Amino acid sequence: MTPNPSAGEAVTPASRASTRRAVVLVAHGTANERGRQVVLDLVTAVQNRRPELDVTDAYVDVQEPRVADVVAQLAPRYDEVVVVPLLFCGGYHVRVDVAKAVDAWPNARSTGALGPSRRIADLLVQRLTEAGVERRDPVVMAAAGSSRLEAAADARAQARLLAEAWGAEVDVAFGSAGTPAVPDAVNANRDRPGARVAVASLLLGEGHFSEKLRRSGADIVTEPLGAAPEVVEQILARLDEA
């Protein structure tokens, strides 16, 4: 196996090109088949864009294989293993589950979460527009939620970026482990006569949280972001930052 550059060596384009790299796209996991397909579609899309990489999937909950097991299988076979969380906020799964998986191997590392990102904000605007939401309609951006304060900060930062891109105020709420809860935020926006309350789903695919959003009492709930080109570009941006 080709040695990795030492800490004192510059990583040049030539040395990076000769490095055998594996990329692990890590999702939360879901029992929903459509949600599962989104992850597989992203693996295919990233592999097609970066054929020099070996791209695979892993999960932190619900599904197998688990990220720690995948990293343990790949690390002895590759010069470098890069884990990209398919999560929009840096919560427990990013800072604990993924961190533990890569910390066990000197040639493994992880990127940050996919958000906050202006690219993701633009995609949320696209979903709001597709759903027929108007600027006068109150918008609640719904994140999955986390017990970690960093994740809540990321969600609020993403909501600010969405507000800038949308051109109107955006509230933030959480599907779990955060306040306000999505139904509470929806109810708090019922005071505008004639306006419809819209939920902008900061979710990758269909599953448990998307079902909760549909039961939140909102008039409009946007579709998850899915394997959109913007999500693929954001994954590639995280890889290039790493």
Side-chain angles (χ1 to χ4, degrees):
M1 185 168 68
T2 304
N4 286 322
S6 69
E9 294 176 325
V11 179
T12 65
S15 65
R16 184 170 286 281
S18 64
T19 299
R20 296 182 64 247
R21 302 175 76 200
V23 172
V24 184
L25 303 186
V26 181
H28 179 276
T30 178
N32 185 288
E33 290 300 325
R34 290 176 62 193
R36 292 185 173 194
Q37 188 60 47
V38 167
V39 178
L40 300 180
D41 290 345
L42 287 171
V43 168
T44 300
V46 173
Q47 185 68 79
N48 289 341
R49 291 287 301 274
R50 298 289 173 88
E52 74 279 9
L53 305 176
D54 286 340
V55 187
T56 191
D57 58 316
Y59 306 88
V60 294
D61 200 359
V62 183
Q63 286 182 249
E64 301 287 343
R66 296 301 173 91
V67 58
D69 296 333
V70 173
V71 174
Q73 292 168 4
L74 295 175
R77 297 164 42 206
Y78 289 85
D79 299 319
E80 185 178 48
V81 178
V82 183
V83 177
V84 183
L86 299 182
L87 302 163
F88 295 105
C89 301
Y92 181 90
H93 292 309
V94 174
R95 297 180 180 272
V96 178
D97 292 329
V98 171
K100 284 183 177 179
V102 299
D103 284 349
W105 299 91
N107 62 331
R109 57 198 174 85
S110 62
T111 72
L114 295 183
S117 159
R118 180 57 189 255
R119 187 180 284 111
I120 297 302
D122 290 341
L123 181 54
L124 287 166
V125 168
Q126 180 180 323
R127 291 287 182 268
L128 287 167
T129 302
E130 291 167 350
V133 182
E134 300 176 357
R135 293 302 187 279
R136 68 188 185 94
D137 296 326
V139 173
V140 176
M141 191 202 77
S146 169
S147 59
R148 304 280 299 207
L149 295 177
E150 302 97 320
D154 284 349
R156 293 188 174 93
Q158 186 64 68
R160 290 193 294 271
L161 290 171
L162 174 56
E164 292 173 7
W166 180 240
E169 184 178 350
V170 173
D171 290 341
V172 63
F174 302 92
S176 67
T179 55
V182 177
D184 294 338
V186 169
N187 289 334
N189 279 282
R190 287 290 180 198
D191 58 350
R192 299 189 198 178
R196 304 162 300 169
V197 180
V199 167
S201 303
L202 186 65
L203 299 175
L204 188 67
E206 298 286 345
H208 172 72
F209 287 114
S210 63
E211 288 300 321
K212 287 185 71 172
L213 297 189
R214 292 191 183 97
R215 299 192 299 268
S216 67
D219 299 294
I220 302 171
V221 178
T222 66
E223 292 296 314
L225 302 184
E230 292 85 352
V231 176
V232 176
E233 291 297 333
Q234 187 63 11
I235 293 169
L236 297 176
R238 289 293 183 252
L239 281 172
D240 290 340
E241 293 167 0

